[in-house]
């Protein structure tokens, strides 16, 4: 045993030295890193890389250009990091092709770091603030995203040079039981949605004395608008692989899978490369680091249905069956893939594992709350100014996320609600802004942690329509196996559609509440059990909006098309301007005898083009609800 | 083999085989629990989709499905309570809101499990507050000895199991959500499949969606 352990440690020491060499020589000449995860690419990162490469070549400058992952500042993409000897590393945002070539000219070739275009510096220095100096930086705490966007995800040496695979090298000389116990002590809870204690899950699986066990990384990430898992896979693939390897070692598995949705080609490609590199380095495959621990990892590309992310459905789909959930127990940890004990964990959950093993359970517990230790990764979207990915300690408040991280509401509008937890999450109003973000507080508030989707809504968002939108999603994604989820969500959707069209009755609210309660209790899997959350939470906090739709035919947020009309205010219309007429796709706007523009309500399709076209200095086009107000106004004007 | 165990259901002390699910323990002792999808031969991997067999077990905070819960020594079970009755009725109403009701001319009338549940639990066949979610799918008359009316199907999946174990495995469940249905591979009419006409599907259909004819 002790001989073997020295062998593993020695083998790893060699890998580390080689990695340190690669990492340190990076600093000998200027290093330019372009954020090129899927989000960066969508913003044009690959063109930026090309411009930089061409500019360097034409000037015959020696510099290294690498494509890195995402740091989370998605609002400012494309992002470029420049590390020039004797300078702090500087991060530039909103990089255009022009700025990219300018940076090469002025900073790499010349000596001017173009501070005015810098977002922040990565290290403390005398002239540029760091990310930590901003409100967002004060809230943020990076664990799993620590190296995202600052290492080359396709180079294993970058990961190793930053502490990577150290946990595996350390754990491999310990028993699986010790690893399980460390994870249990850390209090880590699954980040796939339900928050189940990871150590307990592993312990259950470990107890079974079976030769064949499996570990699976759940990277199906089906929540609309969520991309936390994708970013981690693309930006730091080895971190996930190391987590999976530690899970395998802990429970005694020698075969693992990464179930990645087929819509994530870049993630698949990077994980593939990472597996190959790890195998070549002896960190995966047969006799890892010279020990008797073997682990082969394989990618399974998911077909894409949302419900396939549910663990029993995921396993069924890997077995070649339709991706339909089944009754639990047995839980996968007892009888999972091919009936064998199987640990299945989310990408984020697994990404924490190497950090916990390397730095210890106590270190992990220093962050977050006693019952929800560690950090949480959120995809912040909706009406905030700064959208993107952010990692914060558990226990920060919703208001810190909305105002410090997101910089508040866009366009000076009024905050209305935050929808948290993905399509099955709840909508929390302003009075809940001081709610702490952790598994239990969110559940109590009628929302949930989910996998980390967070959508901020303002005064223009109709809460009935929002509930309808999310229910439409879950209803569509229901597998249809069980009565409550298949028909209960359908009946609820029918009612919500009636209400948003102004055809609801007051008793519909009670029917809706009853259906919601029964679907929650009666459904077979968590899709159905959580699907009513958006309806229940909006009914609880915004019941007056439902009632306005039903009793007054009015949509207070002016969002529901059936309940609004576009109207041109005669005293604001400039008369000689024809912008609205030209913009209307159905020719519903005409000029009256005073050349004031009027909307023909019969023809209007409510596309909003006229409102957008009307020059801001006039702002003559308004929405009215209920639509009957138009008649009243017209009568008033004679 | 199996050992006998003792448990109490609705105040009645009964015996059951260890490992049996509560649903079967109850039914075999003349205690009725509504159920559509359960099949005794499949009890170790229950389908658990109809969601009508809810019961309460003393010591458990929430209602559970009787077809998935093993009967254990000393267990105390209630099949009726206000909240259980409401939940079962809600599930039944949902099923009926998607079941084409024409009992007067339906060949299954009298032997229909839906009628039985309605009678046992005193629930109206036609739910009051829900809209009727008809899909108006065409009936399949292509096979002389079987008529399949998807508009009556409650998606219990029993025919699919029966067809796999006793027939020629032509039936399957396809599509998701509200579109889900019992159908054949490629949605071709039964008459064009390898269906042997064994009738095992109609035998297990609780809702008159699959009917064996005399031909
Ligand atoms: C409808 C539905 C969809 C789910 N989708 C995902 C998913 O995309 N990714 C994920 O990690 N977990 C998903 N889950 C949760 C998984 O069932 C499972 O709890 C999770 O993978 C366990 O990992 P954890 O313990 O690390 O959280 C989903 C659950 C439900 C009910
Ligand atoms: S009989 Fe239990 S769910 Fe159908």
């Amino acid at each position: 045993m002790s001989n073997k352990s020295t062998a593993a440690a020695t083998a790893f020491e060699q890998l580390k030295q080689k990695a340190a060499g690669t990492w340190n020589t990076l600093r000998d000449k200027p290093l330019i890193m372009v954020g090129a995860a899927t989000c960066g690419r969508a913003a044009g990162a690959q063109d930026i890389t090309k411009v930089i490469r061409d500019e360097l070549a034409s000037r015959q400058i020696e510099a290294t250009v690498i494509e890195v992952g995402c740091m989370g500042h998605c609002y400012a993409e494309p992002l470029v990091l420049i590390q020039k000897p004797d300078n702090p590393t500087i991060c530039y945002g909103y990089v255009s092709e022009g700025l990219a070539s300018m940076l090469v000219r002025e900073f790499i070739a010349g000596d001017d770091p173009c501070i005015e275009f810098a977002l922040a510096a990565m290290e403390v220095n005398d002239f540029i603030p760091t990310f930590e100096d901003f409100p967002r930086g004060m809230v943020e705490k990076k664990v799993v995203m620590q190296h995202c966007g600052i290492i080359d995800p396709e180079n294993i040496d970058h990961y190793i040079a930053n502490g990577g695979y150290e946990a595996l090298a350390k754990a491999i000389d310990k028993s699986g039981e010790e690893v399980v116990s460390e994870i249990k002590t850390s209090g880590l809870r699954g980040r796939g949605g339900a928050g189940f204690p990871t150590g307990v899950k592993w312990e259950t699986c470990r107890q079974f004395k079976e030769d064949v066990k499996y570990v699976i990384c759940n990277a199906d990430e089906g929540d609309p608008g969520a991309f936390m898992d994708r970013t981690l896979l693309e930006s730091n693939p080895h971190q996930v692989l190391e987590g999976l390897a530690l899970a395998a070692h802990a429970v005694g598995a020698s075969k693992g899978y990464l179930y990645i949705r087929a819509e994530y080609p870049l993630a698949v490609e990077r994980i593939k490369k990472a597996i190959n590199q790890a195998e070549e380095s002896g960190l995966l495959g047969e006799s890892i680091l010279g020990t008797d621990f073997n682990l082969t990892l394989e990618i399974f590309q998911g077909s894409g249905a949302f419900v396939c992310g549910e663990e029993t459905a995921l396993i069924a789909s890997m077995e070649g069956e339709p991706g339909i959930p089944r009754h639990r127990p047995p839980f996968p940890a007892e009888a999972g893939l091919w009936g064998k004990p199987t640990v299945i964990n989310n990408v984020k959950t697994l990404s924490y594992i190497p950090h916990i093993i390397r730095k210890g359970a106590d270190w992990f517990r220093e962050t977050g709350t006693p019952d929800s230790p560690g950090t949480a990764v959120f995809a912040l979207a909706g009406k905030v100014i700064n959208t993107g990915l952010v990692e914060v300690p558990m226990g920060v408040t919703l208001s810190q996320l909305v105002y410090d991280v997101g910089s508040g509401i866009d366009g000076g509008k009024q905050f209305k609600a935050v929808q948290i937890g993905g399509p099955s999450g709840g909508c929390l109003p302003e009075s809940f802004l001081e709610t702490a973000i952790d598994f239990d507080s969110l559940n109590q508030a009628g929302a949930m942690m989910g996998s980390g989707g967070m959508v901020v809504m303002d005064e223009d968002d109709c809460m009935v329509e929002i509930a309808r939108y999310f229910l439409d999603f879950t209803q569509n994604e229901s597998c249809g196996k069980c009565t409550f989820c298949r028909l209960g969500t359908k009946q609820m959707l029918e009612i919500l559609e009636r209400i948003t069209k102004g055809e609801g009755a007051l008793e519909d609210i009670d029917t809706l509440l009853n259906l919601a309660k029964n679907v929650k209790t009666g459904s077979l899997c968590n899709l159905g059990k959580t699907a009513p959350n958006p309806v229940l939470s909006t009914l609880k906090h915004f019941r007056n909006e439902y009632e306005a739709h039903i009793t007054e035919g009015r949509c207070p947020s002016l969002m529901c098309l059936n309940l609004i009309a576009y109207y041109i205010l005669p005293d604001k219309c400039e008369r000689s301007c024809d912008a609205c007429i030209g913009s209307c796709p159905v020719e519903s706007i005409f000029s009256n005898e005073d050349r004031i523009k009027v909307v023909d309500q019969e023809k209007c399709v409510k596309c909003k083009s006229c409102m957008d076209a009307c020059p801001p200095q006039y702002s003559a086009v308004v929405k009215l609800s209920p639509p009957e107000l138009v008649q009243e106004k017209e009568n008033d004007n004679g | 083999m199996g050992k006998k165990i003792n448990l109490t259901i609705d105040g009645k002390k009964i015996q059951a085989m260890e490992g049996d699910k509560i649903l079967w323990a109850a039914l075999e002792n003349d205690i009725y629990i509504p159920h559509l999808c359960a099949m005794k031969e499949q009890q170790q991997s229950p389908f658990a989709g109809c969601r009508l067999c809810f019961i309460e077990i003393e010591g458990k905070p929430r209602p559970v499905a009787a077809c998935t819960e093993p009967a254990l020594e000393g267990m105390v079970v209630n099949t009726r309570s206000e909240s259980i009755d409401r939940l079962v009725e809600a599930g039944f109403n949902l099923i009926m809101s998607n079941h084409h009701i024409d009992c007067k001319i339906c060949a299954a009338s009298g032997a229909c499990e839906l009628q039985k549940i309605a009678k046992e639990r005193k629930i109206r066949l036609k739910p009051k507050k829900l809209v009727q979610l008809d899909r108006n799918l065409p009936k399949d008359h292509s096979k002389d000895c079987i008529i399949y009316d998807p508009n009556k199907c409650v998606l219990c999946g029993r025919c699919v199991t029966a067809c796999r174990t006793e027939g020629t495995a032509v039936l399957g469940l396809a599509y998701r959500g509200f579109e889900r249905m019992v159908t054949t591979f490629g949605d071709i009419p039964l008459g064009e499949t390898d269906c042997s006409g064994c009738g095992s599907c109609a035998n297990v259909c609780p809702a008159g969606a699959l009917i064996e004819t005399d031909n």
Side-chain angles (χ1 to χ4, degrees):
Chain A
M1 180 74 206
S2 65
N3 268 347
K4 264 189 194 168
S5 75
T6 340
T10 320
F12 185 65
E13 198 47 45
Q14 280 176 0
L15 291 174
K16 238 171 92 173
Q17 274 174 15
K18 173 177 165 282
T22 314
W23 184 250
N24 291 334
T25 47
L26 264 185
R27 268 145 199 71
D28 293 346
K29 47 188 179 187
L31 171 65
I32 303 170
M33 294 176 267
V34 183
T38 295
C39 46
R41 290 187 171 192
Q46 284 167 302
D47 295 336
I48 301 297
T49 311
K50 185 169 181 308
V51 168
I52 293 174
R53 289 215 165 106
D54 290 349
E55 189 76 35
L56 288 169
S58 74
R59 294 174 178 270
Q60 294 179 323
I61 304 174
E62 279 246 20
T64 314
V65 182
I66 54 176
E67 291 193 330
V68 294
C70 165
M71 291 203 300
H73 294 271
C74 309
Y75 60 92
E77 292 197 287
L79 288 177
V80 171
L81 284 168
I82 299 183
Q83 192 176 76
K84 196 179 167 187
D86 306 322
N87 280 282
T89 310
I90 304 173
C91 175
Y92 301 89
Y94 312 97
V95 177
S96 60
E97 295 186 12
L99 177 56
S101 50
M102 183 172 117
L103 286 169
V104 174
R105 265 191 332 266
E106 304 293 328
F107 189 19
I108 309 285
D111 242 342
D112 174 11
C114 307
I115 299 183
E116 60 279 24
F117 296 102
L119 270 190
M122 305 301 288
E123 302 104 31
V124 178
N125 64 87
D126 291 338
F127 51 103
I128 305 176
T130 65
F131 279 115
E132 284 74 23
D133 295 325
F134 294 96
R136 168 175 170 141
M138 289 184 208
V139 182
E140 224 167 359
K141 158 119 196 181
K142 291 190 175 188
V143 177
V144 291
M145 288 191 58
Q146 192 183 356
H147 295 115
C148 293
I150 57 174
I151 62 170
D152 182 351
E154 299 193 0
N155 189 334
I156 191 171
D157 284 344
H158 287 206
Y159 182 63
I160 297 177
N162 285 284
Y165 287 111
E166 220 169 277
L168 183 63
K170 186 172 150 186
I172 215 163
D173 290 330
K174 294 186 185 169
S175 69
E177 210 168 330
E178 283 172 272
V179 177
V180 169
S181 144
E182 190 77 23
I183 297 302
K184 258 183 94 176
T185 318
S186 77
L188 174 67
R189 295 171 70 171
R191 300 304 202 249
F196 190 81
T198 306
V200 176
K201 189 187 277 188
W202 289 15
E203 190 171 49
T204 310
C205 182
R206 183 178 165 74
Q207 277 165 5
F208 290 94
K209 302 272 168 283
E210 290 233 27
D211 289 342
V212 179
K213 293 180 187 175
Y214 298 104
V215 288
I216 299 175
C217 169
N218 187 344
D220 193 47
E221 195 168 50
D223 287 20
F227 56 100
M228 300 64 87
D229 296 353
R230 184 188 74 199
T231 299
L232 286 173
L233 294 168
E234 289 177 355
S235 307
N236 200 352
H238 285 286
Q239 183 175 252
V240 184
L241 298 187
E242 191 183 2
L244 201 53
L246 285 161
H249 174 57
V251 303
S254 53
K255 176 91 204 177
Y257 295 91
L258 295 109
Y259 188 101
I260 308 179
R261 50 189 293 128
E263 291 91 332
Y264 285 179
L266 184 61
V268 169
E269 185 191 314
R270 290 199 170 153
I271 289 287
K272 240 183 224 159
K273 276 195 188 147
I275 293 176
N276 286 339
Q277 288 175 359
E279 283 178 351
E280 279 162 20
S281 307
L283 291 161
L284 282 178
E286 297 284 306
S287 81
I288 293 173
L289 289 173
T291 66
D292 53 9
F293 173 41
N294 307 321
L295 176 65
T296 39
L297 292 185
E298 222 175 278
I299 296 175
F300 189 97
Q301 294 201 37
S303 59
F306 174 65
V307 75
C308 285
E310 196 278 338
E311 53 190 28
T312 61
L314 184 147
I315 287 170
S317 99
M318 288 181 66
E319 291 172 347
E321 297 286 321
I324 305 261
R326 63 155 172 79
H327 172 73
R328 299 179 307 175
F331 288 90
E334 308 158 48
L337 186 61
W338 310 115
K340 301 293 179 191
T342 302
V343 154
I344 169 158
N345 275 126
N346 170 262
V347 174
K348 286 167 286 255
T349 315
L350 291 169
S351 297
Y352 285 104
I353 304 291
H355 298 272
I356 298 173
I357 297 300
R358 190 152 62 93
K359 299 180 211 157
D362 293 338
W363 164 84
F364 185 70
R365 296 196 75 101
E366 281 167 16
T367 310
T369 66
D371 291 331
S372 302
T375 57
V377 184
F378 283 101
L380 194 55
K383 306 288 178 65
V384 279
I385 295 171
N386 291 340
T387 55
L389 275 196
V390 64
E391 184 172 4
V392 293
M394 290 276 187
V396 303
T397 62
L398 286 173
S399 117
Q400 282 175 297
L401 265 187
V402 175
Y403 292 99
D404 295 341
V405 175
S407 300
I409 310 298
D410 209 1
K413 299 262 181 172
Q414 185 73 33
F415 169 90
K416 187 187 268 183
V418 38
Q419 206 273 354
I420 184 162
S424 304
C427 292
L428 300 177
E430 195 167 6
S431 55
F432 280 72
L433 273 176
E434 294 313 311
T435 304
I437 295 178
D438 62 64
F439 287 103
D440 309 308
S441 310
L442 286 177
N443 274 345
Q444 259 166 30
M448 60 183 207
M449 185 69 87
S451 55
M454 184 162 169
V455 187
V456 178
M457 292 159 198
D458 69 9
E459 56 191 277
D460 295 337
D461 292 307
C462 167
M463 301 317 279
V464 189
E465 168 57 22
I466 295 293
R468 190 206 61 78
Y469 171 84
F470 283 114
L471 203 73
D472 185 50
F473 176 84
T474 39
Q475 194 274 137
N476 255 314
E477 294 296 332
S478 161
C479 77
K481 179 179 184 178
C482 87
T483 301
F484 284 97
C485 187
R486 179 180 74 249
L487 298 170
T489 57
K490 178 81 181 163
Q491 290 281 0
M492 289 172 71
L493 185 63
E494 293 274 324
I495 296 178
L496 288 168
E497 278 173 353
R498 281 208 299 274
I499 299 179
T500 52
K501 283 187 192 148
E503 295 160 7
L506 272 180
E507 65 168 25
D508 280 342
I509 295 187
D510 283 334
T511 313
L512 201 51
L513 274 172
N514 274 329
L515 280 166
K517 216 175 64 194
N518 291 323
V519 171
K520 249 177 121 76
T521 323
S523 292
L524 173 64
C525 90
N526 275 336
L527 189 137
K529 282 181 195 295
T530 55
N533 283 342
V535 177
L536 284 169
S537 57
T538 49
L539 264 174
K540 181 160 169 213
H541 303 301
F542 301 95
R543 193 178 173 120
N544 56 339
E545 294 199 18
Y546 282 81
E547 288 166 353
H549 284 73
I550 294 171
T551 57
E552 301 169 49
R554 179 172 66 90
C555 174
S557 312
L558 304 173
M559 192 182 193
C560 294
L561 284 191
N562 271 39
L563 302 185
I564 61 161
Y566 284 87
Y567 178 70
I568 299 174
L569 297 165
D571 50 340
K572 290 218 173 161
C573 178
E574 206 274 343
R575 297 172 196 224
S576 63
C577 147
D578 278 346
C580 55
I581 293 187
S583 77
C584 180
V586 292
E587 297 180 2
S588 75
I589 304 179
F590 59 92
S591 233
N592 71 9
E593 53 278 22
D594 301 322
R595 297 183 61 200
I596 291 174
K597 310 298 175 290
V598 182
V599 179
D600 179 345
Q601 299 296 337
E602 295 285 302
K603 284 192 189 162
C604 174
V605 291
K606 306 181 189 180
C607 68
K608 194 167 174 271
S609 304
C610 54
M611 195 167 186
D612 294 336
C614 184
Q617 62 269 37
Y618 312 139
S619 298
V621 183
V622 294
K623 294 189 215 175
L624 298 177
S625 180
E628 293 76 41
L629 284 181
V630 172
Q631 197 58 48
E632 265 176 48
K633 293 247 176 201
E634 281 173 356
N635 293 345
D636 287 352
N637 296 322
Chain B
M1 41 165 285
K3 178 171 118 209
K4 291 234 169 194
I5 52 139
N6 302 290
L7 70 161
T8 311
I9 303 185
D10 292 345
K12 186 171 163 187
K13 291 203 181 326
I14 62 164
Q15 284 205 319
M17 297 302 287
E18 184 170 44
D20 269 4
K21 298 290 157 59
I22 294 172
L23 177 69
W24 304 107
L27 293 175
E28 280 154 23
N29 284 280
D30 291 328
I31 301 169
Y32 182 72
I33 298 173
H35 60 102
L36 291 174
C37 68
M39 298 175 96
K40 178 138 193 213
E41 318 78 73
Q42 302 291 321
Q43 68 163 326
Q44 293 318 323
S45 47
F47 184 81
C50 78
R51 317 307 288 165
L52 294 179
C53 64
F54 281 107
I55 51 160
E56 279 170 355
I57 298 175
E58 278 188 16
K60 292 211 178 199
R62 271 177 285 277
V64 292
C67 67
T68 60
E69 215 52 36
L72 300 177
E73 179 65 41
M75 215 173 216
V76 180
V77 175
N78 288 313
T79 70
R80 307 293 299 265
S81 78
E82 219 183 295
S83 63
I84 288 291
D85 285 2
R86 266 206 305 264
L87 186 60
V88 174
E89 181 173 352
F92 185 73
N93 281 341
L94 285 171
I95 288 175
M96 296 310 288
S97 78
N98 186 222
H99 173 79
H100 179 64
I101 303 174
D102 63 357
C103 303
K104 284 207 185 95
I105 52 165
C106 178
S109 193
C112 167
E113 290 288 327
L114 300 173
Q115 288 174 333
K116 176 166 180 177
I117 295 169
K119 189 159 160 255
E120 289 278 344
R121 292 285 162 114
K122 304 199 170 42
I123 310 173
R124 291 164 49 98
L125 278 172
K126 201 169 162 39
K128 259 191 188 153
K129 301 216 165 127
L130 304 177
V131 293
Q132 204 61 31
L133 300 167
D134 288 331
R135 287 174 65 197
N136 297 318
L137 298 164
K139 278 195 203 178
D140 183 352
H141 291 278
S142 62
K143 189 92 194 159
D144 0 335
C145 55
I146 290 167
I147 300 175
Y148 170 45
D149 181 356
N151 303 299
K152 289 188 184 170
C153 174
V154 294
L155 289 166
C156 68
R158 285 162 60 159
C159 54
V160 176
T161 307
C163 188
R164 268 189 207 169
T165 50
E166 293 164 49
T168 42
V170 299
L171 292 178
L173 283 156
Y175 307 109
R176 284 212 316 262
F178 186 61
E179 315 274 281
R180 191 164 166 84
M181 67 185 294
V182 169
T183 182
T184 59
F185 189 75
D187 295 331
I188 53 173
L190 276 175
E192 292 167 31
T193 65
D194 293 340
C195 170
S196 63
C198 72
S200 57
C201 56
N203 277 339
V204 295
C205 179
L210 283 154
I211 297 281
E212 218 174 349
T213 63
D214 296 335
N215 302 337

